[in-house]
């Protein structure tokens, strides 16, 4: 089977002109590897698998033809039926919500079959009625109603005295390197064992094939792996990201210090598909038994572009060990055929407590058991951020600090550098630790002006506590570690009765399980593609060239696109409005967006003229990494606004985002907001 996949893939690359560099440049085009990548007409496998059955199979050919027709019909329906022959030149001309929804449900009647998701949202996440949350990535453990109940949910119904109070768990840092933790350190509390078991079942990851290590956040997981991988022998580190990621940057820094040779995939303008010929060359160059790490996300968390599983197969065949970054996937996207066939060596996921309210949590680093032996002990890794999950203390003792989707931490106990906190969002994510000339940073770093007053207060508190913790760490690191362990033991002993008698219920995971992959995929496919068309229908009035208000980067109308959008807003003169400003104004309208920086973009000859107008140079800024400051090299890319949709997102959320963006059709909107803010006696923040 794998031999056929390789043969089929090489034939596909050759057919698209990817084998000959000269041919590639002469045509000036891109190698569209996703074009023939068909999954199924119903969308149960939303990430392309690239026909894993021989092309000679008539039944498979018939199925692939049906799939192509179904997808083509979906695109045509979306293009022709949503606001046909219509453009909107001011926000007052937009249809009212009832009319827009009626039109939406006419185009996508299948959305009506997803009412179960609306019922769950209305009964368990009522806080979402007043806030549009488009800044979360990862998996939600609990529901809002569950977290705010007077007692914790339990499948064993223990006596009230042993119930765990919300927020159900805390995390405690431990001093251990990755290899020893996997081999000898899995002496979990009953609570951690219960959560670990529930997560692995949810992700469809078998316990006899993978070991799970809980770490502080996504950045920590990447950095920990880099510090434990034998780059001195397997020097390659090949990353496939169309945006700048703090987590990946941390991994690259650690890997380079240990002798790794880092390369990146490139993405073809304007579709931002993987430049398949270039990536294939990097994968297959200089055959070796062990090349290094191939870090691969199945989906871009910024653009929503989805990539075929087959890249992981090709990497393995060429001697790479595969790291699957699953942090941006939907809650049931791992329930597909490809993962069970390919089995990456490492999988990284992130988990937060409550969607739209409590982003604190942890990340999971899953290590294939056959890959454990090659990990190396590391002194540095001992202080990076392996954690234990312990029962929460009594409500009066809790200080459930504000942190990010990729981090749950009590800041007063944080022993790690601020860079370990991967910033994600304006509403729900962690507070930005660095601002570069007012622009949002790459993987989700944001300007001070984007913060709500609540966030600023929390940030000030957290910074003070983090600074104090860092000073103490520098003076007596070993005693701090021992103190942390003592606190962990005390916390566990204090709640040992509850820990042994209670199996915690993760209602957030239960809700995703009850909906399933088909329903979630269908729901998000309808909302996301409607939003793409609706945003493109906004045009500035009274302009000779009819400037579009919005430019979308990456996939547009597409059956299997991911539920994330990268876009920018432009004024009537065609000048881009800073993403950080759009984010801040959205926050005032109770809409949480994030920002990102697209990079690794490749321009074919016919698009070379676009290069100077599209790309912008990021100003260098000081970034703290591993306690040391370094100067980041200025690079070229595109600052963008990002909206990430989840399974609890509904049509009204998309409609509210649309009507907010339409306000920029008013040439004076930004100035009006400035004066309105001052009139409300708010503190003036320069925008």
């Amino acid at each position: 089977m794998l031999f056929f996949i390789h043969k089929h893939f090489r034939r596909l690359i050759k057919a698209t002109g990817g084998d000959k560099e000269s041919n590639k440049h002469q045509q000036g085009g891109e190698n569209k590897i996703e074009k023939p990548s068909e999954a199924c007409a119903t969308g149960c496998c939303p990430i392309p698998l690239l026909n894993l059955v021989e092309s000679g199979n008539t039944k498979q050919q018939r199925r692939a033809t049906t799939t192509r027709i179904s997808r083509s019909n979906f695109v045509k329906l979306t293009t022709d039926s949503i606001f046909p022959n219509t453009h909107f030149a001011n926000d007052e001309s937009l249809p009212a919500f009832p009319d827009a929804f009626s039109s939406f449900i006419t185009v996508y009647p299948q959305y009506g079959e997803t009412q179960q998701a609306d019922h769950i949202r209305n009964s368990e996440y009522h806080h979402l009625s007043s806030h549009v949350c488009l800044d979360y990535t990862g998996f939600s453990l609990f529901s809002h109603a569950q977290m705010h109940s007077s007692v914790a949910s339990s499948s064993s119904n223990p006596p009230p005295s042993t119930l765990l109070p919300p927020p159900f768990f805390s995390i405690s840092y431990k001093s251990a390197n990755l290899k020893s933790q996997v081999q000898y350190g899995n002496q979990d509390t009953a609570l951690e064992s219960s959560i670990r078991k529930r997560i692995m079942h949810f992700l469809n990851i078998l316990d006899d094939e993978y070991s799970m290590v809980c770490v502080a956040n996504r950045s920590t997981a990447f950095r920990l792996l880099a510090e434990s991988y034998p780059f001195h022998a397997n020097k390659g580190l090949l990353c496939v990201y169309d945006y700048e990621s703090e987590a990946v940057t941390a991994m690259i820094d650690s890997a380079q210090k240990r002798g790794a040779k880092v390369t990146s995939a490139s993405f073809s303008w304007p579709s931002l598909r993987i430049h398949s010929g270039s990536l294939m060359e990097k994968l297959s160059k200089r055959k070796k038994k062990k090349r290094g790490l191939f870090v691969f996300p199945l989906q871009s968390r910024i653009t929503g572009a989805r990539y075929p599983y087959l890249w992981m197969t090709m990497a393995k065949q060429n001697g790479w060990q595969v790291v699957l970054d699953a942090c941006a996937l939907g809650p049931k996207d791992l329930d597909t055929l490809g993962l069970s066939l390919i089995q990456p060596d490492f999988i990284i996921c992130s988990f937060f407590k409550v969607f739209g309210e409590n982003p604190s949590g942890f990340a999971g680093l899953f290590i294939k058991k056959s890959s454990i032996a090659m990990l190396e002990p590391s002194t540095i890794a001992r202080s990076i951020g392996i954690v234990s999950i312990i029962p929460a203390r009594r409500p009066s003792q809790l200080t459930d600090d504000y942190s990010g989707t990729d981090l749950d931490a009590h800041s007063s106990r944080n022993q790690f550098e601020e860079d370990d906190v991967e910033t994600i969002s304006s509403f729900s994510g962690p507070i930005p630790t660095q601002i570069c000339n007012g622009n949002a940073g790459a993987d989700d770093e944001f300007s001070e002006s984007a913060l709500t007053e609540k966030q600023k207060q929390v940030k000030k508190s957290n910074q003070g506590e983090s600074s104090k913790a860092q000073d103490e760490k520098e003076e007596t690191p070993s005693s701090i570690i021992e103190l942390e362990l003592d606190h962990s033991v005390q916390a566990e002993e204090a709640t040992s009765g509850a820990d042994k008698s209670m199996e915690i219920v993760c209602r957030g995971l239960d809700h995703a399980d009850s909906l399933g992959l088909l329903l979630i995929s269908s729901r998000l496919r309808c909302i996301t593609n409607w939003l793409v068309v609706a945003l493109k229908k906004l045009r500035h009035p009274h302009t000779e060239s009819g400037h579009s208000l919005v430019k979308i980067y990456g996939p547009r109308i597409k059956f299997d696109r991911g539920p994330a959008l990268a876009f920018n807003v432009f004024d009537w003169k065609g000048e881009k409005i800073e993403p950080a400003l759009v984010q801040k104004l959205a926050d005032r309208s109770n809409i949480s967006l994030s920002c990102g920086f697209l990079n690794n973009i490749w321009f074919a000859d016919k698009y070379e003229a676009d290069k100077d107008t599209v790309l912008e140079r990021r100003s260098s800024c000081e970034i703290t990494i591993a306690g040391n400051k370094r100067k980041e090299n200025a690079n070229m890319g595109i600052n963008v606004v990002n909206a990430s949709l989840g399974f609890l997102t509904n049509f009204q959320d998309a409609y509210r985002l649309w009507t907010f963006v339409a306000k920029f059709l008013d040439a004076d909107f930004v100035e009006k907001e400035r004066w309105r803010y001052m009139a409300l006696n708010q503190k003036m923040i320069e925008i």
Side-chain angles (χ1 to χ4, degrees), residues 499-551:
D499 192 28
K500 292 177 181 178
S501 62
M502 182 175 188
E503 180 179 348
I504 196 165
V505 174
C506 298
R507 206 180 293 172
L509 301 184
D510 292 343
H511 291 152
D513 273 336
S514 68
L515 297 176
L517 176 63
L518 282 174
L519 187 148
I520 293 173
S521 298
S522 177
R523 179 181 179 88
L524 291 178
R525 181 180 304 117
C526 297
I527 297 174
T528 305
N529 282 281
W530 179 90
L531 183 58
V532 168
V533 176
L535 289 174
K536 296 298 290 182
K537 293 289 183 177
L538 302 176
R539 284 186 173 272
H540 284 288
H542 313 304
T543 56
E544 294 181 2
S545 58
H547 288 305
S548 293
L549 177 68
V550 175
K551 180 173 180 57

Side-chain angles (χ1 to χ4, degrees), residues 8-29:
H8 174 76
F9 189 77
R10 296 294 299 183
R11 187 165 60 245
L12 175 63
I13 295 294
K14 186 175 182 180
T16 58
D19 271 2
K20 295 183 179 180
E21 195 71 20
S22 59
N23 184 37
K24 183 170 54 183
H25 286 288
Q26 287 171 4
Q27 292 179 356

